Amino acid sequence: MLELRALCAGYHDRPVLRDVDLVFRPGKVLALLGPNGCGKSTLLRTAAGLLSSQGGTVLLDGVPLTSCPPRLIAQKAAYLPQSRTVPAITAERMVLHGRFPYLSYPRRYSAADRALARQALEWVDAGDLADRLLPELSGGQRQKVYLAMALAQDTETVLMDEPTTYLDVRHQLEVMALARRLAVQGKAVVLVLHDLCLALQTADELAVLAKGRLQQTGTPEEIFESGILDRVMDVELRRLMTDNGWRYYPDLPEKE
């Protein structure tokens, strides 16, 4: 389990996050929300061990992350960044990169590794892309492949930075359904999302950041009732009860 205690992080001498306390709980989908530049991506990168903290601590199963070898961190937490390079390799080969933390050098994939890669592609509805080259794929198709790579890593925690980018509405809902399935399996799933309504609709917990600080955490109901998203995002969130439960929608406030 990953836990952030009084975490401060940033780039060079520029702090971005200050005094963040947050736990990534197994079996839960946690959505990180907040305006651009508030530190959501920085939080994920620091939690994944890709960015050194400027203060506070990241704990992995109770052990400071700085004491953990990178290979162990990669076996415990998969990280899907917001953007990636596009090498001229097949989708299946890209997904197999998720198995790197378990392989010694020189890397030789086992039948089990290949089966996991194929299974991960099927999970994200991209099995038909296995033999396609990444540069030939659309942005949405590539995003599916990168999601599959994170799943093939088979970790206890999955960190995803804007995983619904480039995806149409149907596939955005599929990504969130996948996140829920992973949580049911006992994994901690943490996503940076810009779609407030999608987050309110599908996450178990929400963490709202603004101006580099954690403003509030809670269930979707608690966050909606508090009005914190209205204040930090400068919108007015509404909801409507339907046969399938609450449906959320934004309403821009009138300008005086």
Side-chain angles (χ1 to χ4, degrees):
M1 182 173 71
L2 280 170
E3 181 178 357
L4 316 181
R5 292 186 181 175
L7 180 68
C8 300
Y11 303 90
H12 306 296
D13 59 349
R14 183 175 65 88
V16 176
L17 288 173
R18 298 174 181 84
D19 300 319
V20 173
D21 292 300
L22 195 59
V23 179
F24 301 161
R25 304 181 191 281
K28 299 292 184 180
V29 176
L30 169 66
L32 303 179
L33 307 176
N36 290 336
C38 70
K40 302 183 296 295
S41 297
T42 300
L43 188 155
L44 280 196
R45 295 191 70 226
T46 309
L50 301 175
L51 182 66
S52 298
S53 67
Q54 297 179 345
T57 308
V58 179
L59 298 176
L60 176 61
D61 294 337
V63 178
L65 203 65
T66 51
S67 300
C68 301
R71 182 170 179 173
L72 175 62
I73 297 172
Q75 290 174 354
K76 292 285 188 175
Y79 169 67
L80 177 68
Q82 186 174 347
S83 60
R84 302 188 62 92
T85 57
V86 186
I89 60 176
T90 65
E92 182 179 16
R93 190 77 176 181
M94 189 76 242
V95 175
L96 280 167
H97 285 190
R99 303 303 300 159
F100 281 4
Y102 304 95
L103 304 177
S104 57
Y105 190 83
R107 300 184 181 100
R108 292 187 175 87
Y109 301 115
S110 67
D113 292 325
R114 296 185 183 280
L116 270 172
R118 288 279 180 169
Q119 185 180 42
L121 281 166
E122 293 294 340
W123 278 344
V124 299
D125 191 28
D128 59 328
L129 304 178
D131 298 322
R132 298 273 303 278
L133 292 173
L134 286 183
E136 299 175 355
L137 303 181
S138 68
Q141 289 173 323
R142 288 177 197 159
Q143 189 71 346
K144 288 184 179 183
V145 173
Y146 298 142
L147 280 168
M149 182 178 66
L151 299 183
Q153 204 166 323
D154 194 24
T155 56
E156 297 170 359
T157 301
V158 181
L159 311 173
M160 296 188 277
D161 194 350
E162 299 189 42
T164 57
T165 300
Y166 305 120
L167 300 181
D168 58 30
V169 173
R170 175 195 164 200
H171 289 103
Q172 288 177 21
L173 294 174
E174 287 181 355
V175 166
M176 297 308 296
L178 172 63
R180 295 230 50 85
R181 284 163 50 199
L182 292 173
V184 168
Q185 294 174 12
K187 298 181 186 294
V189 183
V190 186
L191 312 97
V192 170
L193 292 175
H194 280 295
D195 190 325
L196 304 180
C197 299
L198 187 64
L200 286 162
Q201 199 70 45
T202 55
D204 296 302
E205 301 172 331
L206 305 177
V208 182
L209 293 100
K211 299 180 180 178
R213 294 186 182 274
L214 181 62
Q215 303 295 317
Q216 189 171 332
T217 60
T219 65
E221 179 73 13
E222 290 168 341
I223 293 297
F224 177 82
E225 291 288 351
S226 74
I228 183 67
L229 287 174
D230 292 13
R231 294 192 293 274
V232 304
M233 300 300 291
D234 195 24
V235 298
E236 293 181 0
L237 286 170
R238 314 285 191 187
R239 65 180 180 181
L240 177 70
M241 178 57 74
T242 70
D243 292 340
N244 296 315
W246 288 113
R247 289 294 180 266
Y248 299 87
Y249 61 96
D251 186 16
L252 290 175
E254 292 184 6
K255 299 295 184 180
E256 296 182 358

